[in-house]
Amino acid sequence: MAVNGVFSGAKFAQKRVVAQFFLIKGEIQRGKESMSLDRIMVPVAIGGAIVRLGNLFNSEIVGAVTDVSWGFKFVRLYPNVPIDSIPVQHPTQLYEAFCYLVIFGILCSFR
């Protein structure tokens, strides 16, 4: 799933280059280019949250061992280990997905 970040970063860079090309050609006015790129970022925040949920389902990017009640036991990381012996870890993917959703709400409030 880490490759998704590379691809989405490359796609963003590609769109930025295309927008700069049209800006140089004079087909886009200076203020409209910025607004177009700003609007692209709204769905990117939702996409980031979905990617982090995928990381959760695949047991990737897990947090530190903890004793909080909302911790997860990532069974895939410990094959052939009894469930009682698997440590409880922070679901950092959910924390980041929540932050992406907050960013999405903030971006939607600017419309």
Side-chain angles (χ1 to χ4, degrees):
M1 292 299 282
V3 175
N4 288 344
V6 174
F7 286 129
S8 59
K11 286 301 243 183
F12 176 72
Q14 178 185 20
K15 290 177 182 173
R16 180 75 182 171
V17 168
V18 170
Q20 287 292 349
F21 173 75
F22 285 116
L23 180 66
I24 291 169
K25 275 183 82 176
E27 294 182 16
I28 297 179
Q29 296 173 355
R30 175 63 76 181
K32 291 184 180 180
E33 176 226 352
S34 177
M35 287 185 66
S36 298
L37 293 176
D38 288 345
R39 287 188 179 139
I40 290 171
M41 296 314 297
V42 175
V44 167
I46 290 290
I50 292 170
V51 167
R52 289 300 163 237
L53 290 177
N55 291 138
L56 176 68
F57 297 147
N58 289 327
S59 299
E60 301 169 341
I61 316 174
V62 299
V65 175
T66 184
D67 58 353
V68 296
S69 61
W70 62 83
F72 280 47
K73 287 190 175 192
F74 293 98
V75 180
R76 286 184 175 184
L77 298 179
Y78 302 95
N80 303 324
V81 174
I83 294 212
D84 296 336
S85 301
I86 297 176
V88 176
Q89 294 174 289
H90 278 285
T92 55
Q93 314 92 329
L94 290 180
Y95 303 154
E96 191 170 350
F98 177 73
C99 289
Y100 283 133
L101 293 176
V102 168
I103 290 170
F104 173 75
I106 291 170
L107 290 174
C108 284
S109 70
F110 287 131
R111 286 185 154 196

